[in-house]
Amino acid sequence: MSTTLLRTIQLNQFSLLGTALIRRRSNNVSVRCCGSQTATTHEAKQTSPSRVAPKNHKSNKLDEILRDYEAVIGIETHVQLSTLTKAFCSCSNNYGSVPNTSICPVCMGLPGALPVLNSKVVEFGVRLGLALNCELSLKSKFDRKQYFYPDLPKGYQISQFDIPIASGGYVDLDIPLEFGGGHRRFGITRVHMEEDAGKSLHSDTGDYSQVDLNRAGVPLLEIVSEPDMRSGVEAAEYACEMQRIARYLGVSNGNMQEGSLRCDVNISIRPIGQAEFGTKVEIKNLNAFSAMSRAIDFEISRQALLYDQGKADQIVTETRLWDEGAQKTVTMRKKEGLADYRYFPEPDLPEVILTQEYVDSIRASLPELPEAKRRRYEAMGLGMQDVLFLANDVSVAEYFDAVIGKGAEVKLAANWIMGDIAAYLKNEKLSINDMKLTTQELAELIAAIKDGTISGKIGKEILFELLAKGGTVKGMIKEKDLVQITDPAEIEKMVIKVVSENQKQLEQYRSGKTKLQGYFAGQVMKMSKGKANPGLLNKILLEKLNAKD
């Protein structure tokens, strides 16, 4: 790594060039590239509560490659915790603050400043460890991980090395139907607590970099998977599940565009039948789940090509980046080994000791997690497409559960939420928590259609008005006189009138153009202002159209 010169660190607000400047002495200087994430469909104002899934499937070329080679994939997921303050000091943990305004001597690493552990970090670590079916360490400790980057003020990171807070777990998930479907179980090696580094901001010209230390000391939980994934699709779905679990637990917002969830992917390939792993390559800073899938598939192809050309020795342990524009991975730096980090126990922090009573109390407070929710929805008779959609977002799942809890039929509630409501939210760029339609009113709307009080067509009109303006179903039905016409005599009068006024169409119908039944039904519906009961209407209409007189 080329050397860098740290010019100044300014503690006041980020004005002009008020942050630390790192002047380059050569053009190939490497500094840490952190957290440049793009938006996903799970933003705070999400455009749709739909399943996040990678868009691309394995190409024919990749399928051919995988006949001869097996990919081995593991993921390190960094989850930034939604605590009020940082991990080891009282500075605010606020995303988007003016650079270098949420800092103090502790998170700046100034001499003599001592860390104090935020107890919420431990609680969140226990919650996540339990959710991932891990074994908890009732006694764990912190360690110093030594390395240098300009945005790491202390020159080391407080982390956990040999005794993490949780280890030996697993996660179950479902692969979307468009990618073959099926259930998968992936092992979890460990979950450990650590602090984040700062953030380097690089100038457009490349002449200098600025350092924002607001993120330094922000608490993280790192989840290390077993190397159990075999494709880009599986890896992306695993990462999606980590995001879902973090959000269900309330430990993180999981927003990739904010760097609240960051994934480093380790990939190797080996010839089919070989037991030993191949040389592992890491891809860092993947900014979307779909990008993760594409990056992995490219890297598998790249490594397989080197094997086929007899150049397997050119696959080296290194860190690579995904170039979205070029759709390929590129070398970033050689990968450090464990010995390079020179771990040793953190002398300024005591051991973390948990009691069984404390663990049991947290276990009792856990919400229903995504996997349990999916299985419950499946048991209700919903198809896998419905299950994945509804359980994907915790807010959507809570809304759905509340609607059926008020007596709505399960499949009807799912159809309304996945259909017209989801389309409205997408068009208006709203989350389900922002809309004006309450769960009580959706349940009443479904009931009013089911018992025949209103037709499905009128129900849809009411839905859109409730979504836009709010209100009640009963009040709207009464105010606009929308009660469905169910009197056979009244419907018969309208049918007779429509048939008598459309003799030409009647002759065509009776000569064999039976599709004209829809035309007559539409005319009656128009006359009734959409209030005629469709079942009765069609029954009476067929009798009149097929009458021999």
Side-chain angles (χ1 to χ4, degrees):
M1 177 182 293
S2 300
T3 58
T4 57
L5 176 61
L6 190 64
R7 295 290 190 190
T8 59
I9 294 182
Q10 185 166 320
L11 305 186
N12 58 349
Q13 294 189 357
F14 187 54
S15 58
L16 299 177
L17 301 180
T19 51
L21 302 182
I22 305 162
R23 295 286 176 185
R24 284 168 165 72
R25 288 185 176 173
S26 65
N27 291 329
N28 63 340
V29 62
S30 295
V31 294
R32 191 180 185 194
C33 181
C34 291
S36 178
Q37 307 291 343
T38 59
T40 70
T41 56
H42 283 86
E43 300 178 27
K45 293 279 187 178
Q46 61 189 21
T47 58
S48 169
S50 61
R51 170 96 168 162
V52 173
K55 301 293 184 186
N56 62 309
H57 195 25
K58 287 181 282 188
S59 64
N60 292 334
K61 180 179 179 182
L62 186 60
D63 287 334
E64 290 179 13
I65 290 170
L66 292 176
R67 293 193 192 113
D68 300 320
Y69 300 101
E70 179 183 49
V72 179
I73 304 165
I75 299 181
E76 299 166 10
T77 307
H78 294 84
V79 178
Q80 193 175 100
L81 302 183
S82 297
T83 55
L84 296 177
T85 57
K86 294 184 180 181
F88 303 110
C89 66
S90 59
C91 290
S92 295
N93 179 15
N94 289 327
Y95 173 78
S97 297
V98 175
N100 290 325
T101 57
S102 294
I103 55 176
C104 72
V106 174
C107 53
M108 291 178 66
L110 297 184
L114 295 176
V116 177
L117 176 60
N118 183 343
S119 63
K120 206 70 177 175
V121 178
V122 178
E123 178 190 329
F124 284 178
V126 173
R127 287 176 72 81
L128 188 59
L130 291 172
L132 295 175
N133 305 291
C134 291
E135 180 179 343
L136 295 177
S137 299
L138 295 182
K139 183 183 290 186
S140 64
K141 66 180 178 67
F142 285 99
D143 301 275
R144 289 187 180 182
K145 181 180 180 181
Q146 319 282 330
Y147 62 97
F148 171 77
Y149 284 121
D151 54 18
L152 188 68
K154 293 192 290 286
Y156 62 85
Q157 177 189 33
I158 299 178
S159 183
Q160 291 190 300
F161 177 49
D162 55 328
I163 311 177
I165 194 167
S167 59
Y170 63 87
V171 62
D172 292 317
L173 56 87
D174 300 284
I175 301 297
L177 299 178
E178 61 265 36
F179 300 121
H183 305 297
R184 300 285 193 278
R185 172 171 288 187
F186 300 120
I188 303 295
T189 305
R190 57 189 280 145
V191 177
H192 64 259
M193 303 178 286
E194 63 184 21
E195 63 177 341
D196 210 344
K199 185 175 182 179
S200 296
L201 308 172
H202 308 299
S203 69
D204 293 336
T205 60
D207 293 335
Y208 64 87
S209 291
Q210 299 169 298
V211 175
D212 176 13
L213 294 180
N214 279 350
R215 202 173 65 183
V218 166
L220 302 175
L221 289 174
E222 181 173 345
I223 308 162
V224 181
S225 80
E226 291 288 324
D228 290 345
M229 288 145 264
R230 296 294 179 263
S231 70
V233 166
E234 288 188 353
E237 284 303 312
Y238 165 89
C240 287
E241 189 74 354
M242 293 299 105
Q243 184 188 63
R244 274 189 289 274
I245 291 172
R247 287 173 167 170
Y248 268 67
L249 293 172
V251 303
S252 174
N253 63 26
N255 293 339
M256 294 187 81
Q257 71 274 16
E258 298 177 6
S260 296
L261 186 129
R262 310 195 291 271
C263 295
D264 300 334
V265 180
N266 296 297
I267 308 164
S268 65
I269 67 168
R270 58 187 175 187
I272 294 292
Q274 177 177 303
E276 297 81 13
F277 290 158
T279 301
K280 180 175 66 177
V281 172
E282 180 185 49
I283 307 177
K284 288 189 76 72
N285 301 326
L286 293 164
N287 59 14
F289 299 126
S290 57
M292 179 184 298
S293 181
R294 293 194 301 274
I296 290 170
D297 288 347
F298 173 86
E299 186 60 25
I300 292 170
S301 300
R302 185 187 74 87
Q303 293 186 28
L305 180 62
L306 290 172
Y307 264 95
D308 286 343
Q309 294 175 343
K311 300 176 181 178
D313 59 332
Q314 292 186 18
I315 303 172
V316 296
T317 302
E318 63 177 340
T319 297
R320 298 177 71 87
L321 296 177
W322 172 244
D323 185 331
E324 184 67 29
Q327 291 287 295
K328 66 178 183 179
T329 62
V330 294
T331 297
M332 177 186 176
R333 62 171 181 264
K334 300 302 179 186
K335 178 68 177 172
E336 298 91 344
L338 287 179
D340 297 321
Y341 291 127
R342 305 189 315 280
Y343 282 99
F344 68 83
E346 169 57 63
D348 294 332
L349 287 167
E351 290 181 319
V352 178
I353 299 175
L354 310 176
T355 66
Q356 193 59 51
E357 181 182 11
Y358 175 77
V359 172
D360 291 342
S361 68
I362 293 178
R363 191 191 305 274
S365 72
L366 293 180
E368 183 181 42
L369 294 166
E371 170 62 10
K373 201 172 287 289
R374 288 192 293 266
R375 300 289 75 82
R376 177 165 63 84
Y377 290 169
E378 222 176 7
M380 290 178 178
L382 292 175
M384 185 53 64
Q385 184 178 1
D386 298 353
V387 166
L388 294 178
F389 183 101
L390 294 168
N392 180 56
D393 185 279
V394 63
S395 297
V396 174
E398 288 173 350
Y399 188 92
F400 172 71
D401 285 339
V403 173
I404 62 175
K406 291 176 170 61
E409 186 177 312
V410 170
K411 183 58 179 174
L412 291 177
N415 288 345
W416 280 100
I417 292 171
M418 295 173 61
D420 292 310
I421 292 175
Y424 173 83
L425 295 176
K426 181 177 181 180
N427 290 335
E428 298 298 320
K429 294 182 172 59
L430 296 173
S431 76
I432 201 164
N433 292 328
D434 296 325
M435 68 179 184
K436 296 178 180 179
L437 176 64
T438 67
T439 56
Q440 179 65 44
E441 293 310 313
L442 179 56
E444 291 200 12
L445 181 63
I446 292 170
I449 297 170
K450 189 176 180 183
D451 65 20
T453 302
I454 58 174
S455 67
K457 180 181 178 183
I458 289 177
K460 188 169 289 193
E461 293 173 3
I462 292 175
L463 173 75
F464 287 121
E465 190 148 348
L466 291 174
L467 285 168
K469 300 178 182 178
T472 66
V473 174
K474 290 179 180 176
M476 201 166 293
I477 291 173
K478 183 178 180 181
E479 176 189 343
K480 300 191 176 185
D481 188 24
L482 299 174
V483 175
Q484 187 168 234
I485 299 171
T486 56
D487 182 357
E490 190 175 350
I491 293 175
E492 186 176 12
K493 288 178 185 177
M494 289 186 280
V495 170
I496 291 171
K497 181 173 174 57
V498 167
V499 171
S500 65
E501 292 176 351
N502 293 275
Q503 288 298 309
K504 181 181 178 181
Q505 288 82 0
L506 177 61
E507 290 174 9
Q508 291 174 336
Y509 174 86
R510 289 178 174 175
S511 67
K513 295 184 178 180
T514 54
K515 289 184 179 179
L516 283 168
Q517 179 189 343
Y519 168 78
F520 286 103
Q523 294 301 306
V524 177
M525 274 296 186
K526 185 177 180 181
M527 184 180 294
S528 70
K529 297 180 180 179
K531 296 192 290 182
N533 180 280
L536 274 175
L537 164 60
N538 284 308
K539 180 176 180 293
I540 295 169
L541 180 60
L542 280 173
E543 290 173 358
K544 299 301 180 185
L545 291 175
N546 296 323
K548 295 184 179 180
D549 55 354

